[in-house]
């Protein structure tokens, strides 16, 4: 199958390269102009009309608004038999609406957001949470398996619901690790030795080891940005409100990330929540 990757950001670029390396016919498109160095190895298309010729339209866009905008421009060129595969993080309600509208034209929809960051994209080890009709999911499953470990969770919107929950866990764990590293430093412990001491125990996690190192080094080059984490936590808050749940730790994480964005730190890695505790 031909695949057009729409959105060549931090995640879209390595995903496109992995698919090409595994034999898929992949071309890319991006809303803004990117430097040739960033696009090395990815043949790019000049227009959405050209991108729409592929059998699978893989969206790796920043948020629901971006998906809505790109789909509005893309849909006039789509035809029955194609599948739109949304692998960014968006509002599940938007996914259900898109799926219903496209289904009426014979076009499939699968929402399959990912977790694992650029590192997971490069190594094809992404955790992939998929929602969509079973037949549509089966059509794109080989693509998903080339990128990581997909699990089909249910109908349209189920993948994005799972990703919002994933981001809730990530955001709250970053807050917990930030507090732990801050306390360790103030108590005179070497935080790197603390990471080693906790390795393999119940307190261990990728966030402790990877994001914790970013906190220790005060190195916040973005893998995932503060503003993206804030957007995802706001989606989690909306889902919790719909479900009638009060999630108190979510509220504190939301406040910290909102304060970082207000302080013009929205483009830092989301581990920069640490800066709200230790300047």
């Amino acid at each position: 199958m031909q695949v057009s990757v729409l959105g060549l950001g931090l995640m879209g670029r390595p995903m496109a390269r992995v698919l090409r390396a595994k034999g898929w016919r992949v071309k890319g498109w991006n809303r803004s102009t990117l430097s040739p160095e960033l696009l090395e190895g990815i043949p790019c298309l000049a227009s959405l009309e050209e991108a729409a010729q592929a059998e699978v339209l893989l969206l790796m866009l920043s948020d629901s608004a971006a998906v809505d905008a790109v789909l509005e421009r893309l849909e006039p060129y789509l035809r029955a038999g194609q599948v739109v595969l949304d692998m960014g993080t968006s509002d599940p309600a938007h996914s259900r609406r898109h799926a219903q509208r496209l289904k009426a034209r014979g076009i499939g929809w699968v929402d399959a957001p990912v977790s694992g960051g650029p590192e997971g994209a490069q190594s094809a080890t992404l955790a992939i949470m998929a929602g969509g009709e079973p037949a549509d999911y089966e059509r794109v499953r080989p693509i998903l398996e080339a990128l990581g470990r997909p699990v089909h969770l249910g109908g349209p919107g189920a993948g994005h619901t799972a990703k919002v929950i994933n981001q809730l866990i990530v955001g709250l764990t970053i807050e917990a690790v930030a507090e732990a590293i801050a306390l360790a430093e103030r108590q005179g412990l070497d935080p790197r030795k603390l990471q080693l001491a906790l390795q393999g125990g119940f307190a261990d996690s990728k966030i402790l080891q990877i994001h914790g190192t970013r906190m220790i080094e005060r190195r916040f080059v973005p893998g995932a940005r503060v503003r993206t984490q804030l957007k995802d936590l706001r989606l989690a808050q909306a889902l919790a409100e719909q479900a009638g749940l009060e999630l108190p730790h979510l509220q504190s994480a939301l406040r910290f990330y909102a304060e970082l964005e207000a302080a013009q730190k929205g483009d830092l890695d989301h581990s920069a929540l640490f800066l709200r505790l230790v300047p």
Side-chain angles (χ1 to χ4, degrees):
M1 287 188 290
Q2 289 182 311
V3 180
S4 289
V5 177
L6 311 182
L8 298 171
L10 290 171
M11 295 294 291
R13 293 194 299 271
M15 290 166 67
R17 291 188 179 106
V18 163
L19 289 174
R20 283 182 57 79
K22 293 188 176 185
W24 295 91
R25 293 182 291 162
V26 174
K27 293 185 178 180
W29 176 86
N30 201 62
R31 289 185 294 166
S32 58
T33 302
L34 297 173
S35 69
E37 295 79 17
L38 288 175
L39 298 174
E40 185 178 356
I42 307 172
C44 285
L45 299 164
S47 70
L48 279 174
E49 183 175 3
E50 291 177 278
Q53 302 310 305
E55 294 158 275
V56 175
L57 292 307
L58 192 165
L59 311 183
M60 199 63 200
L61 301 167
S62 57
D63 53 27
S64 299
V67 172
D68 293 350
V70 169
L71 270 181
E72 184 177 5
R73 295 171 56 193
L74 182 66
E75 283 186 50
Y77 306 115
L78 298 182
R79 62 191 184 276
Q82 292 176 295
V83 179
V84 176
L85 173 57
D86 184 6
M87 300 191 72
T89 304
S90 294
D91 187 330
H94 286 233
S95 297
R96 291 189 288 270
R97 288 197 295 269
H98 294 321
Q100 184 177 27
R101 187 177 66 255
L102 292 169
K103 183 178 180 179
R105 295 178 52 196
I107 301 163
W109 168 275
V110 175
D111 46 287
V114 303
S115 182
E119 301 90 348
Q122 291 163 11
S123 60
T125 57
L126 292 168
I128 304 173
M129 298 142 266
E133 299 294 338
D136 294 330
Y137 171 74
E138 286 302 318
R139 286 191 62 197
V140 299
R141 182 166 56 85
I143 295 171
L144 300 179
E145 289 176 341
L147 294 168
R149 182 183 56 81
V151 175
H152 185 211
L153 290 153
H160 279 142
T161 299
K163 179 58 188 295
V164 170
I165 293 167
N166 175 90
Q167 292 302 89
L168 172 64
I169 295 170
V170 168
L172 300 193
T173 306
I174 285 175
E175 183 178 6
V177 168
E179 292 183 6
I181 297 293
L183 181 59
E185 290 183 349
R186 289 293 174 88
Q187 288 296 318
L189 291 180
D190 181 338
R192 292 188 183 278
K193 289 185 178 179
L194 179 66
Q195 285 176 305
L196 184 62
L198 299 181
Q199 199 166 43
F202 286 144
D204 196 16
S205 67
K206 286 185 177 180
I207 290 176
L208 174 63
Q209 300 301 332
I210 297 173
H211 293 71
T213 297
R214 293 172 185 168
M215 296 172 192
I216 294 165
E217 296 177 352
R218 275 51 168 187
R219 180 175 52 84
F220 302 114
V221 176
R225 290 181 168 86
V226 162
R227 66 165 46 92
T228 302
Q229 184 68 58
L230 176 60
K231 177 262 297 184
D232 295 344
L233 291 179
R234 284 172 172 159
L235 288 174
Q237 182 183 38
L239 290 182
E241 289 173 354
Q242 292 167 19
L245 283 174
E246 181 181 353
L247 303 178
H249 295 297
L250 170 58
Q251 300 309 313
S252 65
L254 273 168
R255 185 176 71 254
F256 282 158
Y257 280 114
E259 289 170 357
L260 283 171
E261 185 175 52
Q264 309 300 312
K265 293 181 170 65
D267 282 327
L268 296 180
D269 186 83
H270 52 172
S271 58
L273 179 143
F274 183 70
L275 297 175
R276 290 296 299 116
L277 303 171
V278 179

